[in-house]
């Protein structure tokens, strides 16, 4: 039947050595870019944050809740920091260099997420907390809870420069 | 209308929107994020705002119709609306949300109902104005113009 022909199609289309090199180069470049996990329950703010981060050449993964973030980090069903994955800062092969989370989210709040992360094998990953409200007690609570930075929304391109400093700090020492 | 006239109209209209407080600096930030890779970024974000706002306004109306008003729930919705309007630069909508939240805290149903009316009004104004702005933009592009001008 005609469907069998798909095997031939796969066989005919072997990547040429030149293309293979390009693909490998692309994958290497992606690995070298910083990967940010962005957490926000607002679809508008997720879109904005994604654009801001991409405009600064970061790789971005957006999730819509604290629970989804914990799931992504493999922390959802484990009460202890022990994880089954091989090394720190890796999830299914993807590293996470920075986590940016909104403070006010239903369910698991940004603060809850911060505490969970700091009590886990991801504790060395910088966490930035964002909020539309300028509440001093909230700010100190987050900073004391281990947040690298507290940023007021809406974020602007200029705010991303501060982020860069934190990301560079997280690079392994040679 | 020729291209130059359209461009003039566009600039004047946009300036008036800032001047009258419908838009603030955050809207400018959105435009600065738009580039060749994402030529429809602003329209996309604003469309998300329209969808989200309409959902929230309906939720608010429903919540205020209840026998036992859940002010915490209303506050949560207004907080969301305040956040999204602030994120796109819809300043007048944002301002009404601030007043709205104060009435929630006081559990003042009259105040809340008035604010709902006000926020609906401001939302529909900014929606109309943004749609007109996008239309002008489109006309300029069709007439062979480009952005930024």
């Amino acid at each position: 039947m005609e469907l069998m022909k798909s095997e031939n199609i796969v066989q005919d289309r072997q990547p040429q050595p030149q293309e293979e090199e390009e693909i490998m180069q692309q994958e290497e470049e992606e690995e070298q870019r910083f990967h940010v996990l962005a957490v926000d329950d607002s679809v508008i703010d997720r879109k904005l944050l994604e654009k801001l981060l991409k405009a600064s050449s970061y790789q971005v993964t957006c999730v819509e809740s604290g629970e989804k973030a914990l799931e992504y980090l493999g922390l959802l069903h484990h009460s202890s920091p022990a994880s089954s994955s091989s090394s720190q800062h890796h999830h299914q092969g993807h590293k996470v260099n920075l986590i940016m989370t909104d403070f006010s989210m239903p369910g698991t709040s940004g603060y809850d997420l911060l505490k969970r992360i700091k009590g886990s094998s991801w504790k060395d990953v910088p966490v930035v907390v964002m909020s539309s409200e300028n509440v001093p007690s909230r700010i100190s609570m987050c900073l004391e809870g281990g947040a690298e930075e507290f940023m007021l929304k809406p974020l602007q391109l200029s705010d991303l420069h501060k982020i860069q400093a934190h990301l560079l700090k997280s690079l392994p020492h040679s | 209308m020729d291209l130059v006239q359209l461009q003039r109209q566009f600039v004047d209209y946009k300036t008036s929107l800032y001047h009258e407080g419908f838009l603030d600096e955050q809207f400018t930030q959105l435009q600065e994020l738009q580039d060749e890779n994402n030529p429809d970024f602003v329209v996309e974000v604003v469309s998300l705002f329209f969808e989200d706002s309409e959902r929230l306004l309906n939720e608010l109306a429903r919540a205020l119709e209840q026998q036992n008003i859940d002010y915490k729930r209303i506050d949560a919705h207004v907080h969301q609306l305040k956040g999204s309007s602030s994120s796109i630069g819809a300043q007048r909508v944002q301002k009404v949300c601030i007043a709205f939240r104060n009435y929630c805290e006081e559990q003042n149903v009259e105040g809340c109902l008035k604010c709902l009316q006000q926020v609906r009004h401001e939302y529909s104004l900014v929606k109309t104005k943004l749609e007109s702005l996008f239309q002008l933009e489109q006309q300029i592009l069709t007439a062979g113009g480009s952005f930024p001008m």
Side-chain angles (χ1 to χ4, degrees):
Chain A
M1 298 212 339
E2 292 298 292
L3 286 170
M4 302 285 214
K5 284 221 176 121
S6 59
E7 276 182 74
N8 293 334
I9 293 167
V10 172
Q11 268 175 343
D12 288 342
R13 192 69 188 86
Q14 289 280 39
Q16 304 305 305
Q18 201 184 10
E19 279 175 21
E20 251 180 32
E21 208 177 287
E22 276 171 28
I23 294 169
M24 269 172 59
Q25 223 171 32
Q26 235 176 35
E27 284 175 356
E28 250 179 63
E29 271 167 28
E30 255 188 40
E31 268 299 301
Q32 281 166 19
R33 281 194 288 159
F34 288 128
H35 180 219
V36 182
L37 177 64
V39 193
D40 201 314
D41 61 314
S42 158
V43 60
I44 289 126
D45 288 344
R46 279 199 304 278
K47 189 166 173 82
L48 257 176
L49 193 51
E50 185 186 47
K51 190 72 178 75
L52 274 170
L53 290 166
K54 284 190 170 161
S56 307
S57 302
Y58 302 130
Q59 234 192 313
V60 195
T61 299
C62 286
V63 296
E64 63 193 8
S65 68
E67 286 83 14
K68 290 258 155 79
L70 289 170
E71 197 179 12
Y72 186 86
L73 297 168
L75 296 175
L76 200 51
H77 302 296
H78 301 125
S79 49
S80 72
S83 94
S84 52
S85 62
S86 45
S87 51
Q88 263 186 351
H89 309 174
H90 275 73
H91 164 77
Q92 291 178 14
H94 280 290
K95 62 188 183 312
V96 177
N97 298 104
L98 174 75
I99 297 163
M100 292 184 73
T101 179
D102 186 28
F103 181 87
S104 324
M105 294 188 294
T108 305
S109 72
Y111 182 73
D112 297 331
L113 181 61
L114 169 68
K115 296 299 281 180
R116 286 296 309 276
I117 290 166
K118 290 301 165 186
S120 77
S121 57
W122 296 96
K123 64 182 178 340
D124 293 328
V125 178
V127 180
V128 170
V129 180
M130 306 172 285
S131 176
S132 55
E133 293 170 308
N134 192 351
V135 181
S137 56
R138 181 182 293 185
I139 299 173
S140 26
M141 183 174 79
C142 288
L143 293 175
E144 277 160 33
E148 208 69 28
E149 184 93 45
F150 186 98
M151 293 187 149
L152 281 178
K153 287 162 108 175
L155 261 66
Q156 302 187 340
L157 272 168
S158 53
D159 293 318
L160 272 289
H161 297 154
K162 281 199 213 164
I163 306 269
Q164 178 136 48
H166 296 302
L167 282 169
L168 291 172
K169 254 201 285 180
S170 75
L171 284 176
H173 300 291
S174 48
Chain B
M1 220 187 292
D2 72 0
L3 181 58
V4 176
Q5 280 179 300
L6 278 172
Q7 288 172 326
R8 172 97 251 170
Q9 193 179 30
F10 178 82
V11 170
D12 288 347
Y13 193 61
K14 196 147 81 125
T15 307
S16 75
L17 294 183
Y18 282 92
H19 194 65
E20 289 162 26
F22 286 104
L23 297 177
D24 67 25
E25 203 227 59
Q26 182 57 21
F27 188 76
T28 314
Q29 281 286 312
L30 285 189
Q31 295 185 299
E32 285 175 11
L33 282 172
Q34 188 162 286
D35 56 25
E36 320 81 57
N37 296 325
N38 266 120
D40 299 316
F41 178 69
V42 180
V43 171
E44 282 170 10
V45 178
V46 171
S47 303
L48 279 174
F49 169 71
F50 290 162
E51 266 174 50
D52 201 50
S53 301
E54 272 151 44
R55 175 186 64 88
L56 288 168
L57 289 169
N58 288 336
E59 296 280 350
L60 284 167
R62 222 171 305 160
L64 283 165
E65 279 166 15
Q66 301 305 308
Q67 271 276 335
N68 294 315
I69 296 176
D70 184 349
Y71 286 101
K72 265 184 100 170
R73 196 183 156 84
I74 293 176
D75 184 71
H77 289 319
V78 179
H79 172 81
Q80 276 186 56
L81 185 57
K82 175 171 161 279
S84 57
S85 57
S86 156
S87 291
I88 70 144
Q91 197 186 62
R92 279 161 68 144
V93 174
Q94 188 195 351
K95 288 205 165 131
V96 181
C97 289
I98 295 171
F100 204 151
R101 289 191 84 191
N102 289 335
Y103 284 122
C104 280
E105 220 183 285
E106 293 169 19
Q107 304 210 345
N108 181 335
V109 65
E110 295 259 332
C112 284
L113 285 167
K114 239 173 61 189
C115 276
L116 178 58
Q117 207 178 28
Q118 252 184 301
V119 83
R120 278 214 131 107
H121 179 66
E122 288 300 340
Y123 167 71
S124 105
L125 279 176
V126 79
K127 180 166 193 267
T128 307
K129 288 173 189 292
L130 283 169
E131 284 171 343
S132 303
L133 190 68
F134 294 147
Q135 248 171 43
L136 269 172
E137 223 174 52
Q138 204 44 59
Q139 283 179 291
I140 289 170
L141 289 171
T142 310
S146 61
F147 293 89
M149 298 191 289

